[in-house]
Coordinates of all heavy atoms in Angstrom, one line a residue:
D836 N 289.9 71.1 102.2 CA 290.9 70.0 102.3 C 290.3 68.8 102.9 O 289.1 68.8 103.2 CB 292.2 70.4 102.9 CG 292.0 70.8 104.4 OD1 291.0 70.4 105.0 OD2 292.9 71.4 105.0
T837 N 291.0 67.7 103.2 CA 290.5 66.5 103.7 C 290.0 66.7 105.2 O 289.2 65.9 105.7 CB 291.5 65.4 103.7 OG1 292.7 65.8 104.4 CG2 291.8 65.0 102.3
D838 N 290.4 67.8 105.8 CA 289.9 68.1 107.1 C 288.7 69.1 107.1 O 288.3 69.5 108.2 CB 291.0 68.6 108.0 CG 292.1 67.6 108.3 OD1 291.7 66.4 108.5 OD2 293.3 67.9 108.4
G839 N 288.3 69.5 105.9 CA 287.2 70.5 105.8 C 287.6 71.9 105.9 O 286.8 72.8 105.9
H840 N 288.9 72.2 106.0 CA 289.4 73.5 106.1 C 289.7 74.1 104.7 O 289.9 73.4 103.8 CB 290.7 73.6 107.0 CG 290.5 73.1 108.3 ND1 289.5 73.5 109.2 CD2 291.2 72.1 109.0 CE1 289.6 72.9 110.3 NE2 290.6 72.0 110.3
A841 N 289.7 75.4 104.6 CA 289.9 76.1 103.3 C 291.4 75.9 102.8 O 292.3 76.2 103.6 CB 289.6 77.6 103.4
A842 N 291.4 75.4 101.6 CA 292.7 75.2 100.9 C 292.7 76.0 99.6 O 291.7 76.3 99.1 CB 293.0 73.7 100.7
P843 N 293.9 76.3 99.1 CA 293.9 77.0 97.8 C 293.2 76.3 96.7 O 293.3 75.1 96.5 CB 295.4 77.1 97.5 CG 296.1 77.0 98.9 CD 295.2 76.0 99.6
A844 N 292.5 77.1 95.9 CA 292.0 76.6 94.6 C 292.3 77.6 93.5 O 293.5 77.7 93.2 CB 290.4 76.4 94.7
I845 N 291.4 78.4 93.0 CA 291.8 79.5 92.1 C 292.7 80.5 92.8 O 293.7 81.0 92.2 CB 290.6 80.2 91.5 CG1 289.7 79.2 90.8 CG2 291.0 81.3 90.6 CD1 290.4 78.5 89.6
A846 N 292.5 80.7 94.1 CA 293.4 81.5 94.9 C 294.6 80.6 95.3 O 294.4 79.7 96.0 CB 292.7 82.1 96.0
K847 N 295.8 81.0 94.9 CA 296.9 80.2 95.4 C 297.4 80.6 96.7 O 298.1 79.8 97.4 CB 298.1 80.3 94.3 CG 298.6 81.7 94.1 CD 299.7 81.7 93.1 CE 300.2 83.2 92.8 NZ 301.3 83.2 91.8
S848 N 297.0 81.8 97.2 CA 297.3 82.3 98.5 C 296.5 83.5 98.8 O 295.8 84.0 98.0 CB 298.8 82.7 98.7 OG 299.1 83.8 97.8
W849 N 296.4 83.8 100.1 CA 295.7 85.1 100.5 C 296.2 85.6 101.8 O 296.9 84.9 102.6 CB 294.2 84.8 100.6 CG 293.8 83.7 101.6 CD1 293.6 83.7 102.9 CD2 293.6 82.3 101.2 NE1 293.2 82.5 103.4 CE2 293.2 81.6 102.4 CE3 293.7 81.6 100.0 CZ2 293.0 80.2 102.4 CZ3 293.4 80.2 100.0 CH2 293.0 79.6 101.2
S850 N 295.9 86.9 102.1 CA 296.3 87.5 103.3 C 295.2 88.3 103.9 O 294.2 88.7 103.1 CB 297.5 88.4 103.0 OG 297.2 89.4 102.1
I851 N 295.3 88.6 105.2 CA 294.2 89.3 105.9 C 294.8 90.5 106.6 O 295.8 90.4 107.2 CB 293.5 88.3 106.9 CG1 293.1 87.0 106.2 CG2 292.3 89.0 107.5 CD1 292.7 85.9 107.2
S852 N 294.1 91.6 106.5 CA 294.6 92.8 107.2 C 294.6 92.6 108.7 O 293.9 91.7 109.2 CB 293.7 94.0 106.8 OG 292.4 93.8 107.2
A853 N 295.3 93.5 109.4 CA 295.4 93.4 110.9 C 294.1 93.4 111.6 O 293.8 92.8 112.6 CB 296.4 94.4 111.4
D854 N 293.1 94.2 111.0 CA 291.8 94.4 111.6 C 290.8 93.3 111.2 O 289.7 93.3 111.6 CB 291.2 95.8 111.4 CG 291.0 96.1 109.9 OD1 291.2 95.2 109.1 OD2 290.5 97.2 109.6
G855 N 291.3 92.4 110.3 CA 290.4 91.3 109.8 C 289.4 91.7 108.8 O 288.5 90.9 108.4
K856 N 289.4 92.9 108.3 CA 288.3 93.4 107.4 C 288.7 93.4 105.9 O 287.8 93.6 105.1 CB 287.9 94.8 107.9 CG 287.3 94.8 109.3 CD 286.9 96.3 109.5 CE 286.3 96.4 110.9 NZ 285.9 97.8 111.2
V857 N 289.9 93.2 105.6 CA 290.3 93.2 104.2 C 291.1 91.9 103.8 O 292.1 91.6 104.5 CB 291.2 94.4 103.9 CG1 291.6 94.4 102.4 CG2 290.6 95.7 104.2
W858 N 290.5 91.2 102.9 CA 291.1 89.9 102.5 C 291.6 90.1 101.0 O 290.9 90.6 100.2 CB 290.0 88.8 102.4 CG 289.6 88.4 103.8 CD1 289.0 89.1 104.8 CD2 289.7 87.1 104.4 NE1 288.7 88.4 105.9 CE2 289.2 87.1 105.7 CE3 290.3 85.9 103.9 CZ2 289.1 86.0 106.5 CZ3 290.2 84.7 104.7 CH2 289.7 84.8 106.0
T859 N 292.9 89.8 100.8 CA 293.5 89.9 99.5 C 293.9 88.6 99.0 O 294.7 87.9 99.6 CB 294.7 90.8 99.6 OG1 294.4 92.1 100.1 CG2 295.4 91.0 98.2
F860 N 293.3 88.2 97.8 CA 293.5 86.9 97.3 C 294.4 87.0 96.0 O 294.2 87.8 95.1 CB 292.2 86.3 96.8 CG 291.3 86.0 98.0 CD1 290.4 87.0 98.4 CD2 291.3 84.8 98.7 CE1 289.5 86.7 99.5 CE2 290.5 84.5 99.8 CZ 289.6 85.5 100.2
H861 N 295.4 86.2 96.0 CA 296.4 86.1 94.9 C 296.0 84.9 94.0 O 296.2 83.8 94.5 CB 297.8 86.1 95.4 CG 298.1 87.2 96.3 ND1 298.4 88.5 95.9 CD2 298.2 87.3 97.7 CE1 298.6 89.3 96.9 NE2 298.5 88.6 98.0
L862 N 295.6 85.1 92.8 CA 295.1 84.1 91.9 C 296.2 83.4 91.1 O 297.1 84.1 90.7 CB 294.0 84.6 91.0 CG 292.9 85.5 91.6 CD1 291.8 85.7 90.6 CD2 292.3 84.8 92.9
R863 N 296.0 82.1 90.9 CA 296.9 81.4 90.0 C 296.7 81.9 88.5 O 295.5 82.3 88.2 CB 296.8 79.9 90.1 CG 295.5 79.4 89.8 CD 295.4 77.9 90.0 NE 295.4 77.6 91.5 CZ 296.5 77.1 92.1 NH1 297.6 76.9 91.5 NH2 296.4 76.8 93.4
D864 N 297.7 81.8 87.7 CA 297.5 82.3 86.3 C 297.3 81.2 85.3 O 297.4 81.4 84.1 CB 298.7 83.2 85.9 CG 300.0 82.5 85.9 OD1 300.0 81.2 86.2 OD2 301.1 83.1 85.8
N865 N 297.1 80.0 85.8 CA 297.0 78.8 84.8 C 295.6 78.2 84.9 O 295.4 77.1 84.5 CB 298.0 77.8 85.1 CG 297.9 77.2 86.5 OD1 297.4 77.9 87.5 ND2 298.5 76.0 86.7

Side-chain angles (χ1 to χ4, degrees):
D836 64 14
T837 55
D838 294 323
H840 302 306
I845 300 298
K847 60 183 180 181
S848 64
W849 56 87
S850 59
I851 310 169
S852 63
D854 64 1
K856 296 182 183 181
V857 181
W858 290 61
T859 302
F860 296 89
H861 305 284
L862 312 189
R863 63 183 70 255
D864 61 4
N865 61 337

